[in-house]
């Protein structure tokens, strides 16, 4: 069997080789036959296309005519019948010869059909129903098409029924559509004497509007155009055969050259194929790495297209929002947001799509997420654009911050309790301290020079300690009481604030011989009282921590982005870098009380005031060469600009 099978394959290969050789030898004949077959196929296809075109044009035309007829009836009913009825004019089917009577909409439609039929033989407009109106002899279905149309439209009034038929030697299109009872029709038909029933309801099938249109004019025109097309195709076929002969001659001369080029191109394609396979494998690995990265992310990741529809989500998204992944793909991203935010989010999303910029987590874009069960949770959103071959995509990283918000609220509650305790403690400790100070001072005066030197020194230490404790409690009380009253934010002229502070400190300035200068200062949105205390504390420190020469102090201000940056520069003692953060803590001091009095609350108060206004404070200094304290106040006017 192996020998027989081998012989059979050899014969088949011989026959096939002979056929291919004959085709190569008679290539012009073969190509000519193929061209003629193609032309014949074009003729047949063109004829079919024109037939479908005739059907489509006729169906669309008759549908538009039906719309016009229905619109005419509605207009006639609302603008003519309803108005004339108020003047005693009745709409009747037998209106002819009767005074104060006009035709019913159906009667008018039938008359319109007759007029159009006179202008175009074979054209008809029919209105029929089941049961028919008694006043109309031809009101019911006449043939199988009309009965079928009634059955179909009664089941589905919104559809249209159309059929091509031969009638009286011509091709016609029969088109039917439902006539549905409207609100304004129900009362009229239920009360009309010629109505076949009295229980019409809105939406009932009252009848069928049928238009019968002959297609002979259209077919004649199409055939004329088809003949011209066939003639053009025939001419092009002749030119094609002539061009084919010329081309074949040229092909024979270039065959050898092409074979050589094909061989070279084959080698190049093989190389390109290997390179493409390598690139595809690299692309596949990259996609897999991206997929693994998205899936392993601890946050929910949602990728949407320019239209705002979800194209990719990770497993964490399904867990966080309670959706199976397949339910989210293709849905608007607003599905994951409570309804009250939809309009605003659509507007913001469209603006971001046109002007994208990376928004890191915690940049202020905070929304609420909505789970499948309708529950909501506070979310923090990070956005970043992603350019792909399919266009720009937007990647949203969503993090549930419910626990963080609870922790923040708990922390704020504890801070408030600590502040309240500090305020109450500092307030209530002052009374017993005053009593101790009074009695110690009394001991000092009554027993001065009556006890030994050690006792006098001890009493002196006690008096100094009570004075320091009193100052400490007063500063602590002021610190705790700093924000117990509501903030009074408003336009604050910093020039006026500085003038007030310099007036209060005039005695200390004169005593130290200080020279205080300042730049032009702006007007900012701030609490004037707190801003006054801020400048007073910073200038007071500059006067206190000075060297032997007279203090030189400069107050500067310049705009930086959306904020004003203020600075208080002096030529005092300076600060070592390791203490830059420490000095802003409560009760932190770098010098002995005997050298420089104070409680260590002033700079902590400055920090709270600046942060209360949404800014930050820091120091730049060098030991022995002075210090510069900087702080920022947001520019509310700049922030309000789009």
């Amino acid at each position: 069997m192996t020998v027989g099978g081998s012989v059979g394959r050899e014969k088949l290969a011989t026959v096939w080789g002979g056929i291919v050789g004959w085709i190569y030898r008679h290539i012009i004949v073969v190509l000519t036959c193929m061209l003629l077959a193609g032309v014949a196929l074009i003729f047949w296809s063109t004829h079919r296309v024109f037939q479908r075109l005739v059907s489509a044009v006729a169906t669309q035309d008759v549908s538009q005519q039906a719309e016009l007829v229905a619109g005419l009836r509605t207009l006639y009913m609302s603008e003519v019948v309803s108005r004339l009825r108020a003047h005693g004019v009745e709409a009747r089917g037998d209106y002819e010869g009767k005074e104060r009577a006009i035709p019913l909409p159906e009667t008018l439609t039938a008359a319109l059909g007759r007029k159009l039929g006179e202008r175009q033989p074979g054209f008809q407009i029919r209105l029929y129903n089941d049961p028919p109106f008694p006043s109309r002899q031809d009101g019911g279905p006449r043939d199988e098409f009309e009965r079928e149309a009634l059955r179909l439209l009664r089941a589905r009034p919104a559809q249209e029924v159309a059929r091509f038929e031969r009638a009286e030697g011509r091709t016609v299109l029969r088109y039917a559509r439902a006539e549905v009872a409207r609100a304004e029709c129900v009362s009229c038909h239920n009360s009309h004497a010629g109505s076949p029933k009295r229980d019409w309801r809105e939406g009932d099938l009252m009848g069928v509007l049928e238009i019968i249109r002959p297609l002979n004019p259209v077919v004649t025109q199409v055939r004329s155009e088809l003949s011209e097309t066939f003639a053009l195709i025939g001419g092009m076929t002749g030119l094609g055969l002539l061009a084919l002969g010329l081309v074949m001659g040229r092909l024979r001369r270039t065959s050898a050259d092409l074979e050589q080029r094909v061989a070279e191109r084959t080698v190049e394609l093989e190389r390109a194929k290997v390179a493409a396979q390598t690139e595809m494998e690299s692309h596949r690995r990259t996609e897999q790495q991206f997929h693994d990265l998205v899936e392993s992310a601890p946050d929910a990741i949602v990728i949407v297209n320019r239209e705002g529809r979800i194209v990719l989500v990770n497993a964490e998204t399904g867990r966080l929002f309670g959706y199976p992944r397949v339910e989210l793909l293709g849905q608007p991203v607003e599905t994951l947001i409570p309804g009250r935010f939809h309009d605003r989010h659509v507007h913001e999303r469209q603006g971001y799509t046109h002007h994208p910029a990376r928004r890191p987590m915690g940049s202020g874009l905070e929304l609420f997420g909505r789970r499948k069960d309708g529950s909501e949770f506070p979310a923090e959103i990070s956005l970043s654009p992603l350019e792909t071959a399919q266009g720009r995509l937007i990647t949203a990283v969503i993090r549930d911050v419910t626990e963080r918000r609870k922790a923040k609220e708990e922390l704020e509650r504890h801070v408030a309790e600590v502040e309240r305790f500090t305020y109450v403690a500092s307030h209530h400790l002052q009374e017993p301290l005053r009593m101790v100070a009074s009695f110690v001072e009394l001991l000092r005066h009554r027993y001065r020079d009556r006890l030994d030197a050690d006792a006098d020194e001890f009493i002196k230490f006690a008096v100094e300690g009570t004075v320091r404790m009193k100052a400490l409690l007063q500063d602590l009380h002021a610190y705790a009481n700093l924000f117990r009253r509501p903030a009074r934010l408003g336009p604050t002229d910093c020039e006026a604030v500085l003038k007030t502070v310099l007036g209060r400190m005039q005695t200390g300035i004169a005593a130290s011989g200080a020279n205080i200068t300042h730049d032009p200062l702006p007007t900012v949105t701030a609490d004037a009282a707190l801003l006054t205390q801020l400048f007073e504390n910073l200038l007071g420190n500059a006067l206190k921590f000075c060297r032997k020469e007279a203090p030189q102090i400069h107050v500067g201000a310049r705009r930086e982005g959306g904020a004003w940056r203020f600075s208080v520069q002096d030529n005092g003692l300076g600060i070592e870098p390791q203490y830059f953060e420490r000095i802003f803590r409560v009760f932190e001091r770098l010098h002995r009380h005997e050298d420089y009095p104070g409680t260590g609350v002033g700079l902590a108060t400055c920090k709270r005031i600046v942060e209360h206004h949404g800014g930050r404070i820091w120091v730049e200094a060098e030991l022995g060469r002075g210090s510069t304290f900087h702080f920022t106040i947001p520019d509310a006017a700049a922030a309000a600009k789009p």
Side-chain angles (χ1 to χ4, degrees):
M1 292 183 66
T2 303
V3 175
S6 176
V7 172
R9 285 193 297 272
E10 290 177 358
K11 288 183 178 179
L12 182 61
T14 301
V15 173
W16 176 250
I19 294 174
V20 172
W22 185 88
I23 292 175
Y24 283 155
R25 289 191 301 273
H26 303 85
I27 187 66
I28 295 180
V29 176
V30 173
L31 290 177
T32 301
C33 293
M34 293 176 62
L35 178 61
L36 293 176
V39 171
L41 181 62
I42 291 174
F43 279 133
W44 176 80
S45 177
T46 304
H47 181 70
R48 291 288 305 276
V49 168
F50 274 101
Q51 283 184 331
R52 289 195 294 268
L53 179 62
V54 169
S55 301
V57 170
T59 303
Q60 182 179 7
D61 191 22
V62 77
S63 175
Q64 293 176 350
Q65 290 176 344
E67 288 287 344
L68 290 173
V69 171
L72 175 63
R73 293 180 60 204
T74 301
L75 182 64
Y76 177 73
M77 187 67 189
S78 61
E79 298 296 327
V80 178
V81 175
S82 61
R83 293 189 179 187
L84 292 179
R85 186 179 296 160
H87 297 282
V89 178
E90 182 182 7
R92 302 172 56 93
D94 53 347
Y95 69 97
E96 296 180 352
K98 290 184 173 58
E99 294 184 1
R100 303 186 69 78
I102 58 174
L104 287 168
E106 293 81 0
T107 308
L108 179 65
T109 303
L112 176 63
R114 289 193 296 273
K115 290 294 183 180
L116 293 176
E118 293 173 1
R119 297 181 60 184
Q120 184 178 352
F123 185 91
Q124 299 181 40
I125 296 179
R126 285 259 303 147
L127 280 172
Y128 53 88
N129 52 292
D130 189 14
F133 283 80
S135 60
R136 297 175 54 201
Q137 297 179 356
D138 60 344
R142 299 180 304 183
D143 54 23
E144 185 271 337
F145 173 79
E146 294 183 354
R147 286 188 291 272
E148 180 69 10
L150 263 174
R151 184 183 66 81
L152 294 175
L153 295 177
R154 184 176 289 112
R156 298 177 62 185
Q159 73 175 359
E160 299 173 338
V161 181
R163 181 188 299 175
F164 292 93
E165 295 182 352
R166 295 285 297 175
E168 299 179 359
R170 61 170 66 93
T171 301
V172 298
L173 171 61
R174 300 187 67 176
Y175 172 88
R177 59 175 287 172
E179 291 290 306
V180 179
R182 298 180 301 278
E184 61 269 21
C185 304
V186 171
S187 59
C188 177
H189 281 75
N190 284 338
S191 60
H192 197 277
S195 179
K197 63 177 186 175
R198 297 291 188 271
D199 58 347
W200 295 102
R201 294 178 299 176
E202 185 177 354
D204 286 352
L205 180 68
M206 301 190 67
V208 177
L209 171 64
E210 179 182 359
I211 296 180
I212 303 175
R213 178 180 177 180
L215 299 182
N216 288 350
V218 178
V219 172
T220 301
Q221 180 180 358
V222 170
R223 285 178 177 173
S224 175
E225 296 178 355
L226 188 62
S227 300
E228 295 177 1
T229 303
F230 285 164
L232 179 61
I233 294 174
M236 293 178 63
T237 302
L239 293 175
L241 290 173
L242 178 61
L244 180 62
L246 296 175
V247 169
M248 289 304 302
R250 178 63 179 173
L251 288 176
R252 291 181 183 276
R253 291 191 298 270
T254 59
S255 176
D257 184 39
L258 287 177
E259 289 180 357
Q260 178 64 29
R261 293 184 180 180
V262 167
E264 295 174 354
R265 186 60 177 166
T266 300
V267 174
E268 293 177 1
L269 289 176
E270 288 295 330
R271 294 173 180 171
K273 179 180 177 182
V274 173
Q277 290 176 344
T278 303
E279 184 177 355
M280 289 177 61
E281 180 63 23
S282 175
H283 182 66
R284 187 193 65 78
R285 288 196 300 268
T286 302
E287 285 187 344
Q288 185 62 40
Q289 291 172 355
F290 175 75
H291 180 270
D292 294 342
L293 178 64
V294 170
E295 287 299 314
S296 62
D299 297 318
I301 296 180
V302 179
I303 300 179
V304 301
N305 58 19
R306 293 181 64 91
E307 290 73 33
R309 296 194 172 272
I310 299 172
V311 298
L312 178 67
V313 296
N314 64 349
E316 180 62 17
T317 302
R319 187 201 66 77
L320 181 59
F321 288 92
Y323 283 94
R325 187 180 315 203
V326 69
E327 289 187 17
L328 290 176
L329 299 181
Q331 297 299 315
V333 71
E334 284 76 23
T335 303
L336 306 178
I337 300 173
R340 62 184 180 277
F341 297 119
H342 281 189
D343 293 340
R344 187 186 75 183
H345 187 267
V346 169
H347 176 73
E348 291 179 350
R349 172 174 55 76
Q350 292 172 347
Y352 182 86
T353 301
H354 289 91
H355 304 286
R358 183 176 178 273
R359 294 180 183 173
M361 193 73 73
S363 61
L365 185 61
E366 186 172 316
L367 292 172
F368 283 87
R370 182 182 182 276
R371 299 185 179 91
K372 184 178 182 180
D373 61 7
S375 61
E376 299 180 9
F377 62 90
E380 195 172 62
I381 311 295
S382 170
L383 298 179
S384 59
L386 179 64
E387 300 296 338
T388 68
Q390 292 74 34
R392 178 179 295 160
L393 304 177
I394 304 299
T395 301
V397 180
I398 305 170
R399 180 175 299 166
D400 184 354
V401 295
T402 302
E403 296 302 323
R404 186 199 302 172
R405 177 169 291 187
K406 289 180 180 178
K408 181 181 178 182
E409 292 173 353
E410 184 69 15
L411 178 60
E412 290 175 349
R413 185 178 65 82
H414 285 306
V415 170
E417 290 178 355
V418 170
E419 289 180 349
R420 185 165 56 253
F421 171 78
T422 304
Y423 173 78
V424 173
S426 63
H427 177 75
H428 288 286
L429 285 175
Q430 290 185 41
E431 181 59 31
L433 182 61
R434 280 194 293 269
M435 182 180 296
V436 171
S438 298
F439 281 104
V440 170
E441 189 67 26
L442 183 61
L443 285 173
R444 180 181 181 183
H445 285 85
R446 178 172 296 182
Y447 295 100
R448 179 181 297 170
D449 300 330
R450 297 176 60 181
L451 300 175
D452 57 18
D454 289 341
D456 290 339
E457 187 176 9
F458 295 158
I459 293 175
K460 175 185 176 184
F461 290 156
V463 171
E464 292 176 352
T466 55
V467 171
R468 290 172 57 187
M469 180 61 74
K470 181 178 180 181
L472 182 61
L473 288 177
Q474 287 176 343
D475 286 353
L476 185 60
H477 184 269
Y479 180 80
N481 196 39
L482 195 60
F483 299 108
R484 292 183 64 83
R485 67 170 178 82
R488 299 186 180 93
L489 298 178
T492 302
D493 184 357
C494 295
E495 292 268 5
V497 169
L498 182 60
K499 183 177 180 181
T500 300
V501 172
L502 294 178
R504 293 180 182 179
M505 304 176 66
Q506 188 59 44
T507 302
I509 295 173
S512 63
N515 178 33
I516 300 178
T517 59
H518 66 87
D519 294 339
L521 301 181
T523 296
V524 297
T525 300
D527 187 313
L530 295 178
L531 200 60
T532 300
Q533 186 172 353
L534 174 62
F535 276 110
E536 192 169 346
N537 287 0
L538 292 177
L539 291 173
N541 280 355
L543 292 175
K544 182 195 306 183
F545 299 103
C546 63
R547 293 178 292 177
K548 294 181 180 180
E549 61 267 24
Q552 301 294 324
I553 303 172
H554 180 75
V555 179
R558 70 172 185 266
R559 187 192 295 273
E560 286 188 352
W564 281 97
R565 174 174 171 177
F566 295 86
S567 61
V568 178
Q569 182 180 13
D570 63 54
N571 62 339
L573 301 178
I575 305 171
E576 295 184 70
Q578 62 265 34
Y579 301 120
F580 284 178
E581 295 294 331
R582 175 180 167 184
I583 60 175
F584 292 104
R585 301 173 189 167
V586 180
F587 304 138
E588 290 287 350
R589 291 176 48 81
L590 305 182
H591 307 279
R592 297 188 309 166
H593 184 272
E594 292 79 2
D595 298 330
Y596 296 96
T599 59
V601 178
L603 288 179
T605 300
C606 293
K607 186 173 186 294
R608 289 200 64 190
I609 292 174
V610 171
E611 291 178 348
H612 179 71
H613 286 83
R616 67 187 187 94
I617 185 170
W618 69 99
V619 65
E620 295 175 352
E622 184 178 349
L623 190 62
R625 301 179 65 88
S627 306
T628 303
F629 285 84
H630 303 273
F631 66 91
T632 60
I633 300 293
D635 185 359
K641 295 180 181 179

